[in-house]
Amino acid sequence: MAEADRYEDVVRTRNDEKFAEFEDSGKGLWGRFHELLHSTPAIVPLIVLLAACIVFGMILGSKFFSPFALTLILQQVQIVGVLAAAQALIILTAGIDLSVGAVAVLCSVIMGQVTFRYGVPAILAVPIGLAFGTAIGAVNGWLVSKVKLPPFIVTLGMWQIVLAVNYLYSANETIRAQDIETQAPFLQFLGTKFTIGGAVFTLGVVLMLLLVLVLAYVLRSTAWGRHVYAVGDDPEAAQLAGVDRHKTIMSVYMLVGFICALAGWVMIGRFGSVSPSATTGVIGNIQAITAVVIGGISLFGGRGSILGAFFGALIVGVFELGLRMAGADPQWTYLLIGVLIIAAVTVDQWIRKVTA
């Protein structure tokens, strides 16, 4: 008992003493900049976006910064922006989805065909299309998570299947904008325009912005979001920590299918018509991946943000509009975007190498 009393006396007299002290090694300005890039990946695409706007503003003058021009960029990227949000979720889990564009087109075709072929009210046809996209995502997720097939192979095959079903089901029939406007205007609901201070917006743009903000919050502030990052960074460690990898992967792919269907609805509002041969089915996948990579989301999974993917989509939109307004050859757009893709992956590799 006396030994215990003496031990407590020693603890009480020494509890304020410093037994060890670790000094900051001093990372310096360059080290702190690198740490900032690692903790906030969306900063790089934001800087590129602002720089591009400044350069084109200096070249084109006030017409580039007009409300019409700036909102035109948002209208042009609304489909790619929604698809990029979907693609970003998959890439955060260290996967890739080559079928997002094709799924969007097929869901738009289903919405149109269900309405005009079977007489289903458009207000019910839209949820049917959304459910169909979610189902496709569930199939992809099950093949990746349960059957353990590589996401690249699964979605490459699904891309081909969806494209074929799209043409077979629709018989390559395009539903005209005039017919939709008179008989099923709800299908074009997201194309509704409104004006704020001379800037013209559509409900599709509003949907894209809300989707990006909601996903950014969910990924940053919820347990599900942390699980997505954990699965993408190290699936074995995540499973040991109690994360249900199967449920997380399934939920991500199902959500992505739902978002692709939303993109299909946005397409109808943007173009007015429903066409199985819409180019989004072929190039939408590449456009979405381009936005995600330029947006600083690592192709190795576990790092990046939805905001970065959104900035990436805007960068592409700014380059396309700026070069078009400047009268430049459209091939310059592809050249500059290609340079940005390589630069973005190089920066990601550098960040990973230094922090490894």
Side-chain angles (χ1 to χ4, degrees), residues 191-279:
T192 304
K193 295 182 179 180
F194 60 96
T195 304
I196 299 178
V200 180
F201 297 89
T202 65
L203 293 181
V205 170
V206 175
L207 174 67
M208 175 185 67
L209 296 175
L210 288 177
L211 178 66
V212 168
L213 292 175
V214 169
L215 287 178
Y217 171 80
V218 169
L219 286 171
R220 186 180 64 251
S221 305
T222 68
W224 180 82
R226 290 188 289 273
H227 291 173
V228 171
Y229 280 102
V231 168
D233 187 47
D234 191 333
E236 288 76 18
Q239 197 142 3
L240 289 174
V243 176
D244 191 324
R245 179 180 177 275
H246 173 64
K247 287 185 178 179
T248 302
I249 293 293
M250 284 295 297
S251 64
V252 167
Y253 276 86
M254 291 175 69
L255 178 58
V256 165
F258 178 82
I259 294 173
C260 289
L262 281 178
W265 193 17
V266 173
M267 284 177 57
I268 301 176
R270 171 68 176 158
F271 302 129
S273 60
V274 174
S275 174
S277 58
T279 56

Side-chain angles (χ1 to χ4, degrees), residues 130-140 254:
L130 296 176
F132 201 90
T134 306
I136 295 176
V139 173
N140 284 340
M254 291 175 69

